[in-house]
Amino acid sequence: MNIVKDPQELRERCRDWQRRGVVTGLVPTMGYLHAGHASLLRIARERAARVVASVFVNPTQFGPGEDLDAYPRDLDHDAALAREAGVDVLFTPSAEAMYAPGAATWVEVPELSKMLCGATRPIHFRGVCTVVSKLFLLVQPRLAVFGEKDWQQLAILRRMTADLGFPVEIVGAPIVREADGLALSSRNVYLTPEERAAAPHIHRGLELAASRVAAGERDAGRILAATAAYFAEKMPSATPEYLACVHPERLFALDVIDGPALFATAVKFSRARLIDNRLAGVTATPS
Ligand code: PAF
């Protein structure tokens, strides 16, 4: 595995693969890799002849007062995990290399970026779309793999890729969970032991919501109220930042569940803000 810091060097390597028709897979990450990232790398490894993973804590997707400086970093560990997962090139640029002084161009999908996480993180998805576009232009991958835990990010990146005509297949990877159901996240390290014990209730609450749909409940408001009550009882020290039932692709809020639906939440603990989601909903019965 090669570790490359220089965007130009990455571009040249990938251009060479491109010229020779080598299928390249990209896995963008912010590092502090865990088993969830390993599953993304595995998917890329299965689908592509060459795999590029990036480790870049992208400053433009953090708002003022968010955890940019505190975001956990461990490049030695990341390199070992990436090597083990069969990554060919680990791209670890500096912020200065990714954003020239005076850079003033953004890529943004406003229609899908205002709700859910976007309601409290107004510049977040603009930063994500911009950096992912830059990575697409450098690597020219045939496919790129993103985790379904960040469902809104995945929906936005699918839209962006289609709208801008990037010839990249966006592959969504299922959420990887601890044995007790907590979704893996680099931010789980921020949890206190008590919070860690309570946090699996995020997943359980969302499962309960999906089971209500499976049992025939169609009123999203009633399900959300019951889920909020479950969260309040089981995680009294945590605050749900949002708890919503939305259309899985277009992300607008659903009142009545008469098709596919996504339950999504962000829950704030003392330092950690954790997101999770559960696809549920009704499949049309053939007439
Ligand atoms: O999901 C992430 O880790 C980041 O948002 C991404 C896609 C690597 C862009 O910085």
Side-chain angles (χ1 to χ4, degrees), residues 28-30 56 58 61 124 128 131-132 146 150 153 157:
T29 83
M30 297 208 302
F56 179 56
N58 173 36
Q61 68 189 73
H124 175 67
V128 170
V131 81
V132 170
F146 299 89
D150 298 278
Q153 168 172 283
L157 291 173

Side-chain angles (χ1 to χ4, degrees), residues 30 56-64 66 68-69 73 94-96 98-100 102-108 121-135:
M30 297 208 302
F56 179 56
V57 183
N58 173 36
T60 64
Q61 68 189 73
F62 290 79
E66 292 184 10
L68 172 61
D69 294 332
R73 292 161 167 90
S94 66
E96 293 72 30
M98 287 301 278
Y99 295 99
T105 301
W106 298 108
V107 181
E108 154 164 59
R121 307 188 75 191
I123 62 161
H124 175 67
F125 292 113
R126 181 184 81 168
V128 170
C129 287
T130 303
V131 81
V132 170
S133 299
K134 288 163 85 77
L135 290 168

Side-chain angles (χ1 to χ4, degrees), residues 2-278:
N2 289 293
I3 299 184
V4 173
K5 281 185 80 77
D6 176 20
Q8 194 51 34
E9 186 185 337
L10 179 72
R11 189 196 305 279
E12 272 152 30
R13 267 172 201 270
C14 296
R15 200 179 272 158
D16 183 50
W17 294 337
Q18 174 93 351
R19 262 198 297 265
R20 292 191 279 123
V22 174
V23 173
T24 304
L26 170 67
V27 181
T29 83
M30 297 208 302
Y32 214 66
L33 304 182
H34 50 62
H37 297 106
S39 80
L40 309 185
L41 295 171
R42 205 163 34 243
I43 292 172
R45 187 67 283 168
E46 283 164 13
R47 303 269 316 264
R50 291 284 181 277
V51 175
V52 176
S54 58
V55 168
F56 179 56
V57 183
N58 173 36
T60 64
Q61 68 189 73
F62 290 79
E66 292 184 10
D67 58 344
L68 172 61
D69 294 332
Y71 196 83
R73 292 161 167 90
D74 186 346
L75 191 54
D76 290 341
H77 163 82
D78 292 346
L81 189 147
R83 189 173 287 114
E84 173 76 10
V87 168
D88 295 289
V89 172
L90 187 66
F91 179 49
T92 62
S94 66
E96 293 72 30
M98 287 301 278
Y99 295 99
T105 301
W106 298 108
V107 181
E108 154 164 59
V109 187
E111 205 177 295
L112 299 179
S113 301
K114 294 194 171 90
M115 62 289 271
L116 306 177
C117 289
T120 50
R121 307 188 75 191
I123 62 161
H124 175 67
F125 292 113
R126 181 184 81 168
V128 170
C129 287
T130 303
V131 81
V132 170
S133 299
K134 288 163 85 77
L135 290 168
F136 283 1
L137 292 168
L138 285 172
V139 176
Q140 311 261 323
R142 184 81 60 84
L143 59 106
V145 190
F146 299 89
E148 288 179 352
K149 182 168 75 67
D150 298 278
W151 187 281
Q152 185 175 16
Q153 168 172 283
L154 187 57
I156 290 172
L157 291 173
R158 284 190 200 285
R159 185 77 262 153
M160 174 194 89
T161 302
D163 290 353
L164 295 183
F166 281 119
V168 181
E169 181 191 347
I170 303 295
V171 180
I175 300 176
V176 178
R177 298 183 181 280
E178 301 281 5
D180 59 11
L182 177 65
L184 295 195
S185 163
S186 304
R187 289 185 167 103
N188 289 350
V189 293
Y190 295 152
L191 294 167
T192 66
E194 296 72 35
E195 291 171 344
R196 173 64 191 80
H201 287 296
I202 301 173
H203 173 56
R204 285 179 215 147
L206 296 176
E207 284 297 316
L208 231 53
S211 68
R212 288 197 157 86
V213 178
E217 176 67 84
R218 296 286 170 265
D219 183 328
R222 268 213 296 266
I223 299 176
L224 291 173
T227 312
Y230 177 88
F231 282 179
E233 184 198 332
K234 303 291 186 186
M235 303 184 289
S237 68
T239 318
E241 189 183 277
Y242 65 79
L243 172 62
C245 179
V246 299
H247 185 280
E249 281 161 37
R250 297 170 56 203
L251 306 183
F252 58 77
L254 295 171
D255 296 327
V256 177
I257 301 169
D258 53 7
L262 182 84
F263 290 97
T265 191
V267 177
K268 277 186 102 158
F269 292 87
S270 56
R271 276 189 72 208
R273 174 186 176 280
L274 304 183
I275 57 173
D276 203 345
N277 64 74
R278 172 66 154 86

